Amino acid sequence: GENVEQHPSTLSVQEGDSAVIKCTYSDSASNYFPWYKQELGKRPQLIIDIRSNVGEKKDQRIAVTLNKTAKHFSLHITETQPEDSAVYFCAASGAGDKLSFGAGTTVTVRA
Amino acid sequence: NAGVMQNPRHLVRRRGQEARLRCSPMKGHSHVYWYRQLPEEGLKFMVYLQKENIIDESGMPKERFSAEFPKEGPSILRIQQVVRGDSAAYFCASSRLGQGRDEQFFGPGTRLTVL
């Protein structure tokens, strides 16, 4: 089955700096890669996703890149703000539809 | 359009009791997924259902756990004879289309505590 690894497990950044989270996956058949943000005690919420026919996608301060050859994808948050503090999860899925999640990255934005 | 609903939000059971977790997908969604999240860990896939059918249950323990999604009513995740290790947050998600063609929307979760 799919195995998704995520790094780092914790990330502390100064407000206004960028944050980068990296994930690798094992199943070359995976073709959908969403990123979820989860605040303490809340539900995971999709913040951006990318499909395998695209190498990069951007939505305001958030961008995701995908390298299918190397089987890794990354989340980039620019101009971080305190409200960006949360746990971020990457995930991957293929034709089977179930999402395989990374272990999560706890992002803390220091004011 | 109401989001994914789950109830109860918190459930306390003693060892050996049964736990029933309910999930009502978003309107128009016929695909439901259940995930388990242990404290400070990621979400682990358990089971994927489409109305009246179990599509993939590869992440669900073979014993004590069962899931259904009847033609009418919510999806139910049932845990029999609960043990302390079952304590976790259980999230369900729904999507309109299957085969990874559509976003999965998550419910607020049910936090199960086994005493």
Side-chain angles (χ1 to χ4, degrees):
Chain A
E2 175 67 276
N3 181 41
V4 178
E5 295 195 354
Q6 183 172 348
H7 300 280
S9 57
T10 60
L11 181 59
S12 179
V13 296
Q14 190 68 37
E15 183 177 358
D17 287 351
S18 295
V20 180
I21 304 171
K22 299 182 179 182
C23 289
T24 60
Y25 61 99
S26 61
D27 187 352
S28 56
S30 289
N31 56 13
Y32 175 60
F33 307 91
W35 286 86
Y36 284 85
K37 176 183 180 183
Q38 186 177 31
E39 297 177 3
L40 190 63
K42 301 284 183 65
R43 74 186 76 193
Q45 292 196 300
L46 182 76
I47 54 172
I48 195 167
D49 56 12
I50 191 167
R51 296 190 181 274
S52 57
N53 57 345
V54 175
E56 185 173 354
K57 184 176 177 181
K58 190 173 181 180
D59 182 4
Q60 298 183 353
R61 297 187 296 107
I62 295 173
V64 58
T65 60
L66 171 65
N67 183 326
K68 281 216 74 178
T69 304
K71 289 190 280 190
H72 67 70
F73 55 115
S74 301
L75 177 73
H76 303 251
I77 307 173
T78 58
E79 300 171 26
T80 53
Q81 301 168 4
E83 52 264 38
D84 294 330
S85 295
V87 181
Y88 291 80
F89 293 98
C90 62
S93 78
D97 218 13
K98 63 187 179 189
L99 288 173
S100 295
F101 283 85
T105 298
T106 301
V107 174
T108 302
V109 179
R110 307 187 306 272
Chain B
N1 185 8
V4 179
M5 309 288 283
Q6 286 187 252
N7 69 81
R9 296 289 308 275
H10 300 274
L11 182 61
V12 179
R13 285 287 178 267
R14 296 191 181 279
R15 281 179 297 170
Q17 291 184 320
E18 178 181 289
R20 279 185 181 242
L21 288 62
R22 294 175 185 77
C23 170
S24 296
M26 286 180 69
K27 187 177 180 182
H29 288 194
S30 60
H31 301 260
V32 166
Y33 315 81
W34 285 93
Y35 297 88
R36 176 163 65 176
Q37 185 175 35
L38 294 170
E40 300 186 9
E41 292 190 14
L43 295 103
K44 302 293 185 188
F45 168 80
M46 297 183 73
V47 61
Y48 162 34
L49 309 101
Q50 191 183 1
K51 278 292 185 182
E52 300 186 271
N53 293 305
I54 294 176
I55 307 300
D56 183 346
E57 55 182 348
S58 59
M60 196 161 67
K62 294 284 187 287
E63 296 180 357
R64 301 189 299 109
F65 286 74
S66 63
E68 63 177 13
F69 188 15
K71 188 176 180 181
E72 301 291 337
S75 175
I76 306 282
L77 179 68
R78 182 183 177 203
I79 310 173
Q80 295 178 289
Q81 300 171 5
V82 296
V83 300
R84 290 224 171 102
D86 296 332
S87 295
Y90 292 83
F91 288 93
C92 83
S94 73
S95 67
R96 188 170 55 90
L97 305 172
Q99 282 97 49
R101 291 174 290 171
D102 202 16
E103 174 186 349
Q104 291 185 23
F105 291 85
F106 280 79
T110 293
R111 278 150 186 85
L112 172 66
T113 302
V114 179
L115 302 177

